[in-house]
Amino acid sequence: MSSEPSTPHEDAKPHFIPRSAELDELASLLPLLGVELGDNRVFNVWGEKGVGKSSFISEFRESERMRKEKVLWIQPTRDEPLDDIPEFIRACAKTIRYPSNPDKEKKISEQLESVQRGKVNPIVSDDSILITRSSIAKQKKAYINQAAASSVGRTENVRDDFEINVGLGESKANNHAEGFLDALPLKSLGTDLTIIYIEHYDRLSVTVMDWLRDYVFPAATNGAYRRSLVFLLESQDPLRFAYPLENWGDWSNLTEDFQLPPLNVSDTLKTARALVTDPARASFLAHGSLGYPADLQASAKQVAALDLKPARAFLETLDKVDQLKIAALSLPKIVQADEISSLFGQEASSIFDWAKELPTDLIARSSNGKALNFDEGLRCEAISRFADIPKFQSYAKAWRPAGRLSRNVPSRNERSKLLLLAGLLWIDTQLCNALFKDQANKILPFVTDSKSIFKRKQNRYCISSHLRDDLLKTALSMEHPGVGIVFKKASKLWEERKTEIESQISQIESQIEDREQELKELSHKQTETIAQIRIQDRATNESDTPNKGPGLLSKILHRGEGDSHSPDSLRKLNKSLSAQIQAKEGEVDTLKAELHSAQDALKHPYVPATLQ
């Protein structure tokens, strides 16, 4: 291996990602041949930052397969935030991509532009579309309705002296949706699927998202404007955590998540070799990146420029066994004394102390002596020497979860707190206080304020999906208290809490049953009372003397009851019963809400069934 600086490949494509398996998997999920009834409509490609989601989707769109499929791509959030519906449609018009038929792109774009300008074909207008003269457009005075529109004649050309005002409120939103969908090509005319790719969901305003959910999705699903249309999103977590408050309307049960993990070892090495010329440096680049394409590209020039001569001279002073230790210690960017047990087990402490005393300037010690910073040239030289050795490969495999965790949670203080929570599933204030006592005031703010690490669901929090697996593997390899004593204590607390919740559910169900029986009796009594009122009203209406009092027979039958069966008394009773029924219904609603809350709590245990 040359110790001279290397150079990146001049012809290397920064977007190149050899993810053949993942590309095939995504292709199998999307309805590329057309959406059928019951097919999924919302697809979420998720993975941590830097994993290459946008590049992967771009590679998929421009792949050989897409050049054979009849699929239209639209990418509205590529450039800027979108505050209103015309802006969204205009952005769609600007980002049309049809890999298998580029000649169609211009026409589709022009049709969408016409929609966002309100220039629709008058012949297909309905009563909610008003055609106005341009000169009075600001006053929105109707000039012609549907009947007059038909006199314009069948033409695809919009007359210059007409302006289309697409209604107000719901009519306007509905016609925007229909116009938008009408501009998209039909499956019967040769386009099997239209994909609206939203890579920046936060750039869609609430107005636009409400419009999509309430108007576009339903119209695209059923009726005259039905289209073979899907939404493709990207995020750092599954849909239920990435957008916990989002409602997908008619498509709520037609969603699917697709996890994009870091590159596997083979693909990482292929990508690294495409970025730098020297195979040994490419090997170090691959190991250092941990499979993140963004890190590969960001580090390529730096790795290519490293001077390896000092590192080579130092390593030659050590035997092969010690060189291998240096190679393993070179896997972390910063070697923390309490975080390398996943590499060396019980020997971690002694190996750290050994490395700390090595006579070289290539290893810097922290001021407190608990961390080591290896020179990048030393890391590169050491790793490249042993990259193909099975023992080193086992070190690299063991380190990978901890390395990814360190990358995604760079703060050592935050990692220390996070490792304490590694064995937990759902975390709330009650659990935090019970587990950590006086230290809860340090742990709880970390949980509630770290939005990139924890995801919230009502008053509960869970560790973000893109961190959970690596965190658990790291904690298990370290035999950390988070998967030991903390997990055991939380398990016991959950069993107690579970028993308490189940008892609470039983009591609430019994109370609901009692209230509903009482409600049934009150309703029955009210029905009888209303019947008596109607009988008396009918008798009164049929009498020649409306003010005549009860007859002799009625007085005899109701002797001792006073005025309880008089019309006024019955109406007062009916009013009282209505109030009682309303109050009882309120009690039932409250109890059902408590029941739902208790049942929901059972679905969010403190700990997983097993730590695997």
Side-chain angles (χ1 to χ4, degrees), residues 530-548:
I530 292 172
Q532 291 182 45
I533 292 173
R534 288 175 178 170
I535 291 171
Q536 293 207 13
D537 287 344
R538 190 180 303 118
T540 300
N541 293 332
E542 292 174 354
S543 173
D544 292 332
T545 56
N547 296 323
K548 183 180 178 181

Side-chain angles (χ1 to χ4, degrees), residues 185 257 263 379 402 451 454:
D257 288 303
L263 294 170
R379 294 181 66 217
K451 295 182 180 180
F454 297 92

Side-chain angles (χ1 to χ4, degrees), residues 263-276:
L263 294 170
N264 60 38
V265 175
S266 175
D267 283 352
T268 303
L269 190 56
K270 287 179 184 177
T271 307
R273 287 174 176 170
L275 292 171
V276 296

Side-chain angles (χ1 to χ4, degrees), residues 10-61:
E10 293 181 359
D11 60 346
K13 296 181 180 180
H15 67 275
F16 173 74
I17 303 174
R19 291 184 180 267
S20 57
E22 290 93 335
L23 291 170
D24 289 343
E25 186 178 352
L26 181 59
S28 69
L29 289 181
L30 294 172
L32 298 179
L33 298 180
V35 177
E36 302 293 339
L37 184 65
D39 283 352
N40 288 325
R41 293 274 198 160
V42 179
F43 297 86
N44 177 45
V45 177
W46 70 275
E48 57 262 56
K49 186 176 181 180
V51 81
K53 298 181 290 294
S54 298
S55 297
F56 170 73
I57 295 174
S58 175
E59 193 73 21
F60 178 76
R61 185 188 64 223

